[in-house]
Amino acid sequence: DTAVSQTPKYLVTQMGNDKSIKCEQNLGHDTMYWYKQDSKKFLKIMFSYNNKELIINETVPNRFSPKSPDKAHLNLHINSLELGDSAVYFCASSQLQGADGYTFGSGTRLTVV
Amino acid sequence: KQEVTQIPAALSVPEGENLVLNCSFTDSAIYNLQWFRQDPGKGLTSLLLIQSSQREQTSGRLNASLDKSSGRSTLYIAASQPGDSATYLCAVKYSNYQLIWGAGTKLIIKP
């Protein structure tokens, strides 16, 4: 199946821990994104990588660090997790230039306790 | 400032009705506009993508229109079914780097 897949689907962890979320796309897109959806369901862009190069870096705590080993993968590492980091994190991909739309992964529900 | 607004925020209708969801945007210089649906606890599913040069797109019972001059898009759902219950999101692409989201319309179709 052509898709954006992210793992894990659910993540429950204690405050202060470090965790990673992985994302992979097999659509041949050159750009990948991380979005955060908070409890009010608002989607906020966090990061975007185009061909492994960071192109969008919104105001996000530097505890969040994206890593793109190649254009098909974009991982999100979070250090020293806080209660306020609890949210659903979505990975997405698209072609930066051109008419294609965005394809989203199914989300990772992170709960910090 | 580029903003996307979706009205209404929530809508509840009986099964079988035709309905319209609205999306308005403040800047008409868009690349494209995409409608998504999100089911509770699930990811976003792309429904329709309209390019700036297009007026409408259709997929099954869904029809999305685009009027750039008035800054509006509508999503028309014909013969609604309980399975259509979800949150519908509108996203406007302004450039290679900007995708602006509406807050969504939560739709409930009553059997």
Side-chain angles (χ1 to χ4, degrees), chain A residues 62 78 111:
Chain A
N62 57 15
I78 315 170
T111 303

Coordinates of all heavy atoms in Angstrom, one line a residue, chain A residues 62 78 111:
Chain A
N62 N 13.0 23.5 21.9 CA 14.1 22.8 21.4 C 14.3 21.4 22.0 O 15.3 20.7 21.6 CB 15.4 23.6 21.5 CG 15.8 23.9 22.9 OD1 15.2 23.4 23.8 ND2 16.7 24.9 23.1
I78 N 11.8 13.5 21.1 CA 11.4 14.5 22.1 C 12.2 14.2 23.4 O 12.1 13.1 23.9 CB 9.9 14.5 22.4 CG1 9.1 14.4 21.1 CG2 9.5 15.7 23.2 CD1 7.6 14.1 21.2
T111 N 0.8 10.3 25.3 CA 0.3 10.7 26.6 C 1.4 10.7 27.6 O 2.1 9.7 27.8 CB -0.8 9.7 27.1 OG1 -1.9 9.6 26.1 CG2 -1.4 10.1 28.5

